[in-house]
């Protein structure tokens, strides 16, 4: 006689989330050198962008009124860079990487939702990346002397978390698509670095792109799909409210927040749909275990 | 002697071929060309827009400074790619392709193999530098003043820079024998050191005194200075004081010494780390999480 015990699906999937987040949080800390490589070293690149503005503002006759805000923009952009890089390299590319490592078939056989797997990856990634983001912010305040205006902390937190959820939702969606691209996934991630830093305004107020003309406006419209664009613009509005009379802001904070919430839902739904499609395709074409393609 | 040279040449040649296959055969040539162009041009555009915002809010234009930043950034592509192309080889083979154990036991020089794998990245980077400079001259008003009699000095400077970078890259690659999967962090962080301290995007005098001291101790600072001196118009070059020597021969001599120094360091470090990795059983470890 055999006995079967039904498992609560919610509890099962929560366990899957925790199980996949665990190696990223605990496993990574077994190799503590990652703090130096992933949190401290990248700070140097951000510092370089800070000093570009310092260099510009030392030009004879330059007006330094908004120099603090510009450096603050770079620090916030640097913080967002950490999350974007994590989304690209530890979310979007991850399923492809798992396939190469031979783990993907194990995940597919496990009796859990694939969304729980990606959710766990996202949570673990957020935790790891937050370390780098915090280091960047602390350096911004104590090393570069940036003054942040935190008059509306609740809205700042709301925009920040909406941006994160939308970003990682996008990463979850890309994870499935990257798997279909095979070897191009790595190059796709590499390609989505500088161009996205550019069109999302990681190191300058995004509205500056409008100055390029009709092309600039088209790029702005496309860039709004990337959650980092609107998230950064909203955060900058909240933290540097009087910057240049508001002439460089894209939309109102409320509207940007609303769009971010919509993006959260859209990306999570698309992630679920693309994951289902991927699974069906991979099973039909037998590509789930084929490596180096 | 001849057999040793042959062994190194064979290792280099086939590693370079393998590097090119890995770099390029994932897609069509036209897509690869676009891919090779988009990244550097986007990087250059970030600086353009930073400068545009500065001119509006700083209420001043400084074309010499913009030229300084743009040229520095263009040649930094060469630095970043050469470094990354070199130091990522061990971790890519070990963690990604999991072929290190097979390559390692084959009858080649593994040191030369790493240099050969990097050669493709160096070639692609040189192409990207050319595109970025051409784009700047054609569309952004960047001024380049490179006369025919300056070409030998330019190519000599590029060769010395490449030797120095490969030496640094192999030294870092040697360290990665013992580290976990940190290539992404290294890819951002190590070039970040040079980005920050070598006066790539701003004159060294912008840094605090201790930062300037670090910058002056790095040979690449002088390399960037020399490249700018050769390629930029004299009045633009003089308009952004950097506090460094302007004697090209002195800088060339310094670069020759540093290239030799880093070459010897890379050999020593490579042998030491290889030995330690073998002893610790880490030669083909995987550290995915």
């Amino acid at each position: 006689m055999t006995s079967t015990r039904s498992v609560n699906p919610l509890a099962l999937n929560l366990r899957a989330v925790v199980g996949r987040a665990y190696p990223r949080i605990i496993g990574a800390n077994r190799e503590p050198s990652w703090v130096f490589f992933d949190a401290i070293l990248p700070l140097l690149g951000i510092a370089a962008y800070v000093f570009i503005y310092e260099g510009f503002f030392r030009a004879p006759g330059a007006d330094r009124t908004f120099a603090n805000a510009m450096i603050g923009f770079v620090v916030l952009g640097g913080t967002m860079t950490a999350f974007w890089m994590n989304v690209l390299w530890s979310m979007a590319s991850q399923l492809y990487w798992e396939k190469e490592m031979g783990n993907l078939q194990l995940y597919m056989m496990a009796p859990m939702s694939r969304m729980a797997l990606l959710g766990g990856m996202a949570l673990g990634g957020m935790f790891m990346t937050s370390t780098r983001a915090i280091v960047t912010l602390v350096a911004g305040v104590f090393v570069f002397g940036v003054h942040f205006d935190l008059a509306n902390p609740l809205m700042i937190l709301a925009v920040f978390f909406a941006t994160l959820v939308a970003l990682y939702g996008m990463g979850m969606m890309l994870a499935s698509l990257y798997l279909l691209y095979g070897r191009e996934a790595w190059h796709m991630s590499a390609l989505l670095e500088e161009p996205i830093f550019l069109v999302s305004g990681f190191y300058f107020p995004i509205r500056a792109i409008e100055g390029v003309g009709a092309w600039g406006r088209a790029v702005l419209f496309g860039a709004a799909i990337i959650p980092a664009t609107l998230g950064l613009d909203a955060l900058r509005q909240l933290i540097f409210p009087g910057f240049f009379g508001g002439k460089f802001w894209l939309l109102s904070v409320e509207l940007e927040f609303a769009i971010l919430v919509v993006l959260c839902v859209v990306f999570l739904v698309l992630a679920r749909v693309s994951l289902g499609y991927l699974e069906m395709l991979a099973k039909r074409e037998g590509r789930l275990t084929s490596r180096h393609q | 002697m001849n057999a040793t040279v042959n062994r190194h040449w064979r290792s280099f040649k086939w590693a370079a071929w393998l590097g090119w296959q890995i770099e390029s055969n994932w897609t069509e040539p036209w897509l690869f060309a676009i891919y090779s162009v988009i990244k550097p041009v986007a990087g250059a555009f970030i600086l353009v827009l930073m400068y545009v915002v500065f001119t509006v809010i700083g209420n001043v234009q400084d074309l010499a400074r913009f030229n300084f930043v743009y040229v520095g950034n263009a040649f930094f592509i060469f630095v970043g790619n050469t470094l990354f192309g070199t130091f990522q080889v061990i971790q890519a083979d070990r963690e990604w392709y999991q072929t290190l154990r097979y390559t390692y036991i084959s009858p080649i020089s593994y040191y030369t193999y790493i240099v050969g794998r990097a050669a493709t990245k160096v070639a692609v980077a040189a192409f990207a530098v050319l595109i970025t400079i051409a784009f700047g001259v054609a569309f952004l008003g960047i001024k380049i003043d490179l006369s025919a009699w300056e070409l030998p000095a330019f190519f000599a400077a590029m060769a010395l820079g490449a030797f120095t970078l490969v030496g640094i890259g192999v030294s870092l690659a040697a360290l990665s024998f013992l580290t976990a999967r940190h290539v992404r962090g290294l890819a951002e962080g190590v070039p970040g050191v040079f980005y920050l301290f070598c006066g790539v995007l701003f004159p060294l005098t912008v840094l605090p005194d201790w930062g300037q001291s670090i910058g002056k101790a790095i040979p690449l600072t002088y390399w960037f200075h020399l490249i700018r001196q050769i390629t930029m118009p004299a009045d633009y070059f003089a308009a952004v004081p950097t506090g460094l020597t302007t004697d090209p021969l002195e800088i060339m001599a310094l670069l020759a010494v540093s290239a030799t120094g880093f070459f010897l360091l890379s050999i020593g470090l490579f042998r030491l780390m290889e030995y330690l990795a073998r002893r610790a059983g880490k030669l083909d470890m995987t550290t995915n999480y």
Side-chain angles (χ1 to χ4, degrees), chain A residues 55 63 97 132 190 193-194, chain B residues 39 58 65 96 184 188 288:
Chain A
D63 179 357
W97 179 264
R132 174 174 163 182
E193 289 182 353
E194 283 87 351
Chain B
K39 267 176 79 83
R65 207 166 281 258
W96 181 259
R184 292 309 319 163
E188 276 187 275
N288 185 31

Side-chain angles (χ1 to χ4, degrees), chain A residues 20 23-24 27-28 31 33-35 37-38 41-45 47-67 70 74 81 85 89-90 93-94 96-98 100-101 103 128 132 183-184 186-198 203-205 208-209 212 243-244 248 291-292, chain B residues 21-27 31-32 34-36 38-47 49-54 56-62 65-66 69 73 84 88 91 95-99 121 178-182 184-186 188-193 195-197 201-203 205-208 210 282 285-289:
Chain A
R20 188 59 190 91
R24 291 205 161 176
E31 188 72 48
S33 57
W34 76 269
V35 175
F37 288 109
D38 285 352
L41 269 185
L43 204 56
L44 299 173
Y49 279 97
V50 167
F51 281 109
I52 294 174
Y53 278 127
E54 275 294 336
F56 281 153
F57 280 105
R58 289 203 188 175
D63 179 357
R64 284 190 63 91
T65 310
F66 297 109
M70 294 301 290
V74 171
T81 304
M85 297 292 272
W89 293 103
S90 297
S93 316
Q94 190 68 27
Y96 173 65
W97 179 264
E98 301 285 7
E100 297 298 301
M101 300 292 291
N103 291 336
M128 280 178 70
R132 174 174 163 182
R183 277 191 309 163
E184 293 179 32
W186 196 94
H187 299 277
M188 192 78 78
S189 279
L191 193 59
L192 290 178
E193 289 182 353
E194 283 87 351
I196 298 300
F197 297 166
L198 170 69
Y203 300 115
F204 53 84
I209 290 186
V212 181
F243 178 72
F244 207 64
F248 276 107
R291 302 166 66 196
H292 302 308
Chain B
Q21 293 302 318
I22 292 172
E23 279 293 309
S24 65
N25 82 348
W26 54 276
T27 187
L31 188 60
F32 181 68
I34 292 174
Y35 168 82
S36 304
I38 284 181
K39 267 176 79 83
V41 169
F45 247 108
I46 290 174
L47 298 175
L49 287 169
M50 287 174 79
Y51 177 72
V52 166
V53 173
F54 160 73
V56 174
I57 67 165
N59 206 19
V60 67
Q61 284 208 350
D62 190 339
R65 207 166 281 258
F66 178 58
V69 172
N73 179 68
F84 181 64
Q88 55 94 34
Q91 294 215 348
E95 307 263 348
W96 181 259
Y97 301 111
Q98 297 179 21
T99 51
K121 286 260 185 207
L178 293 177
T179 62
R181 191 177 64 136
H182 294 308
R184 292 309 319 163
L186 276 172
E188 276 187 275
V190 174
V193 173
Y195 217 39
L196 180 59
F197 292 114
L201 300 172
F202 45 82
T205 48
V206 171
L207 289 173
W210 60 266
K282 289 187 167 184
M285 69 174 173
T286 51
T287 53
N288 185 31
Y289 43 80

Side-chain angles (χ1 to χ4, degrees), chain A residues 38-209:
Chain A
D38 285 352
I40 310 290
L41 269 185
L43 204 56
L44 299 173
I46 295 162
Y49 279 97
V50 167
F51 281 109
I52 294 174
Y53 278 127
E54 275 294 336
F56 281 153
F57 280 105
R58 289 203 188 175
D63 179 357
R64 284 190 63 91
T65 310
F66 297 109
N68 174 67
M70 294 301 290
I71 291 170
F73 284 9
V74 171
V75 171
L76 280 182
T79 309
M80 197 56 79
T81 304
F83 288 106
W84 179 246
M85 297 292 272
N86 189 253
V87 163
L88 282 183
W89 293 103
S90 297
M91 285 298 299
S93 316
Q94 190 68 27
L95 286 187
Y96 173 65
W97 179 264
E98 301 285 7
K99 185 172 82 163
E100 297 298 301
M101 300 292 291
N103 291 336
L104 189 65
Q105 60 258 44
L106 302 177
Y107 289 146
M108 289 295 177
M109 283 191 296
M112 63 180 174
S113 159
R114 319 293 176 237
M115 288 295 280
L117 169 76
L118 289 172
M121 267 160 51
L123 274 181
M126 277 185 217
F127 175 83
M128 280 178 70
T129 311
S130 296
T131 313
R132 174 174 163 182
I134 290 167
V135 168
T136 307
L137 283 176
V138 169
V141 174
F142 293 105
V143 180
F144 306 126
V146 177
H147 171 71
F148 293 110
D149 185 341
L150 302 176
N152 195 351
L154 285 181
M155 193 60 181
I156 291 173
L157 284 176
V159 169
F160 177 70
F161 283 111
T163 308
L164 275 198
V165 173
L167 263 182
Y168 278 84
M170 189 182 198
M172 289 161 80
M173 180 190 76
L174 290 175
S176 318
L177 298 179
Y178 272 35
L179 201 52
L180 295 179
Y181 283 115
R183 277 191 309 163
E184 293 179 32
W186 196 94
H187 299 277
M188 192 78 78
S189 279
L191 193 59
L192 290 178
E193 289 182 353
E194 283 87 351
I196 298 300
F197 297 166
L198 170 69
V199 300
S200 292
F202 276 49
Y203 300 115
F204 53 84
I206 184 63
R207 188 128 186 216
I209 290 186

